[in-house]
Amino acid sequence: MSVPPSSDVVCLGESMVTFVPGTGGPLADVSVFTRGIGGAESNVACTLARAGHTARWVSRVGSDGFGDHLVETIAAAGVDVSAVQRDPHRPTGIYFRTAGERATTLDAAPGRGEVVYYRAGSAASALSPALVQRRDVWAGRVLHLTGITCALSATCEALMRQLTHREPGRPLVSFDVNHRPALWQDADPRLLLEVARGCDLVFVGDDEAQAAWGLTDADAVRAALPEPATVVVKQGAAGATAFSGGTRVQVPAPAVDVVAHVGAGDAFAAGFLSATLRGLPLRDRLRHGHLLAAAALTVPGDLAEPPSRERADALAALDDTAWGRLRLGPGWTGGADDSPEEGAR
């Protein structure tokens, strides 16, 4: 007899302590930093927990102060961290970034952010099939993974191949491609396409699909990924297109007064997963993804407080004309007025 899931979503992957400059300018000129946390999978777990779901984070951190900070901060967001392992021999990863948009290329273009990682040999890079227990990763209705883990080490790649192998009884497997060029200097990112084919729900940006796989539009991505039940292609400010079975739905993104771009993709995945868990229609899943992404875009850090479920549902239910007039700015998730028309322009 199968055991009912103990969580809505289990997220597996590395989180790191992040240092954000206290002043503007390039990293070379910054002397004061503010400490935070960053990690695609833990961002999704924290956002889902704040949105009222049960979430578990599975990972490894060092037996150091940075590891303490990560575990305590993620637990404080309401996430189950009981499956996080402590490694006495490897450190917790850290990274430094400027306050601007996260760079997506090896050399940050003018006007974009700088990111410098110190994660080689980290505790999370030792994740492997031998160290991760099925009872931990199969404890949710959904298992959420990202392509970042694929690139961390050979043992991480082996773990990802195992977790995305189709077999009876596994939870719905969600996969955000999260292509980071700096992690693929010595490997072929088409591995991400192979892993994605074993999943049930795949998120990928159109820019990622172009850079990693040479695919130029949403329909080409779906043609390359016929196996997953649902494929979501994120198209930046233009919106997102979802394919599920024979259905194709495109939903534009609302206008957003952006504070920082970091964390928006993770928030989108969390919003889509939240609506999926609730059994909402495909259009509304995309709209909830856009709304949680807008919450992340209007704060300076990776994590934002999501809107109340009632507020998000009201906005997601707007007719197409009202949705197209929507404009969201800093503080929109915490306002007292929950009118669906609030923020329309």
Side-chain angles (χ1 to χ4, degrees):
M1 183 175 179
S2 61
V3 178
S6 60
S7 301
D8 290 330
V9 180
V10 174
C11 301
L12 177 143
E14 180 172 35
S15 291
M16 294 176 289
V17 171
T18 176
F19 292 90
V20 181
T23 59
L27 288 177
D29 298 336
V30 177
S31 59
V32 178
F33 293 83
T34 299
R35 183 185 65 176
I37 68 169
E41 300 86 0
S42 61
N43 284 348
V44 171
C46 289
T47 302
L48 284 166
R50 289 174 171 180
H53 296 280
T54 52
R56 169 181 288 194
W57 175 52
V58 177
S59 191
R60 289 171 60 81
V61 299
S63 297
D64 49 36
F66 289 147
D68 294 342
H69 177 63
L70 277 174
V71 173
E72 291 166 5
T73 303
I74 294 169
V79 176
D80 177 359
V81 296
S82 61
V84 177
Q85 302 169 7
R86 307 302 293 260
D87 190 321
H89 306 296
R90 299 176 180 85
T92 304
I94 64 173
Y95 73 99
F96 295 78
R97 67 170 175 84
T98 52
E101 183 177 355
R102 178 181 285 122
T104 56
T105 59
L106 295 178
D107 298 310
R112 295 179 71 86
E114 293 175 80
V115 181
V116 181
Y117 293 102
Y118 296 91
R119 72 195 313 173
S122 68
S125 71
L127 284 165
S128 70
L131 291 176
V132 175
Q133 302 299 311
R134 175 174 290 187
R135 65 175 181 271
D136 292 325
V137 291
W138 280 25
R141 294 167 58 191
V142 175
L143 171 60
H144 181 70
L145 310 166
T146 83
I148 295 171
T149 307
C150 296
L152 297 183
S153 67
T155 60
C156 283
E157 178 187 332
L159 175 62
M160 290 292 288
R161 289 185 181 277
Q162 180 189 75
L163 294 177
T164 56
H165 174 71
R166 296 184 185 276
E167 58 181 295
R170 77 173 193 179
L172 184 148
V173 177
S174 166
F175 180 67
D176 192 337
V177 170
N178 247 320
H179 176 240
R180 297 281 187 265
L183 295 176
W184 293 94
Q185 297 178 64
D186 302 316
D188 186 353
R190 292 189 69 83
L191 165 64
L192 296 170
L193 191 61
E194 295 177 31
V195 171
R197 288 178 173 138
C199 301
D200 304 301
L201 166 60
V202 175
F203 301 95
V204 62
D206 55 0
D207 55 342
E208 297 176 304
Q210 170 68 44
W213 308 330
L215 302 176
T216 56
D217 58 47
D219 293 296
V221 173
R222 181 49 162 168
L225 287 170
E227 297 89 350
T230 304
V231 174
V232 179
V233 182
K234 298 174 290 182
Q235 297 155 312
T241 300
F243 301 85
S244 187
T247 302
R248 182 188 194 275
V249 176
Q250 200 279 335
V251 171
V256 178
D257 297 324
V258 176
V259 173
H261 288 82
V262 293
D266 304 329
F268 180 94
F272 191 95
L273 286 170
S274 174
T276 299
L277 286 162
R278 297 170 59 204
L280 300 185
L282 194 58
R283 185 207 69 166
D284 291 2
R285 298 180 193 188
L286 288 169
R287 286 190 172 187
H288 277 274
H290 287 318
L291 290 169
L292 264 64
L297 288 167
T298 50
V299 299
D302 282 42
L303 291 171
E305 192 67 32
S308 69
R309 183 169 292 182
E310 294 75 19
R311 186 186 186 94
D313 282 345
L315 291 173
L318 291 173
D319 62 41
D320 289 345
T321 300
W323 177 265
R325 292 199 305 264
L326 197 62
R327 187 177 194 95
L328 303 169
W332 77 269
T333 64
D337 183 358
D338 286 338
S339 166
E341 294 293 339
E342 184 189 7
R345 52 188 169 89

